[in-house]
């Protein structure tokens, strides 16, 4: 199965999602879709992988196991 590559902060910046809390990555992860976290264009979005994951952890209550799951999906 091919993972769904998600760029949450970029999606918020472009208006595709209202906020990180409203981003569909939350629903897709709960449904166990193979999603990955990405930064898109980190220079335009001014985001790093660490800040992307920290923002999602705060918005969705993700813990280390969740972040590890996203990372393994990306391998």
């Amino acid at each position: 199965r091919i993972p769904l590559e998600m760029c949450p902060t970029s999606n918020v910046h472009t208006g595709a999602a209202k906020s990180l809390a409203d981003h569909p990555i939350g629903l897709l992860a709960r449904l166990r879709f193979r999603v990955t976290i990405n930064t898109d264009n980190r220079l335009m979005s001014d985001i790093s992988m660490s800040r992307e994951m920290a923002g999602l952890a705060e918005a969705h209550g993700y813990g280390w196991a969740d972040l590890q799951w996203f990372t393994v999906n990306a391998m």
Side-chain angles (χ1 to χ4, degrees):
R1 293 169 39 189
I2 298 172
L4 299 172
E5 298 176 3
M6 310 297 287
C7 304
T9 298
S10 176
N11 295 155
V12 170
H13 291 169
T14 62
K18 290 183 181 182
S19 67
L20 289 179
D22 292 327
H23 194 279
I25 196 170
L27 174 61
L28 293 170
R30 283 192 306 278
L31 294 174
R32 300 309 280 177
F33 276 75
R34 234 174 123 188
V35 295
T36 67
I37 299 171
N38 302 278
T39 59
D40 199 13
N41 185 336
R42 65 181 187 85
L43 296 176
M44 294 299 288
S45 294
D46 190 29
I47 193 75
S48 66
M49 280 301 297
S50 298
R51 287 197 334 233
E52 189 80 81
M53 288 190 170
L56 288 171
E58 182 178 324
H60 293 276
Y62 295 143
W64 288 114
D66 301 303
L67 299 178
Q68 180 182 25
W69 181 76
F70 288 123
T71 303
V72 169
N73 285 342
M75 290 184 200

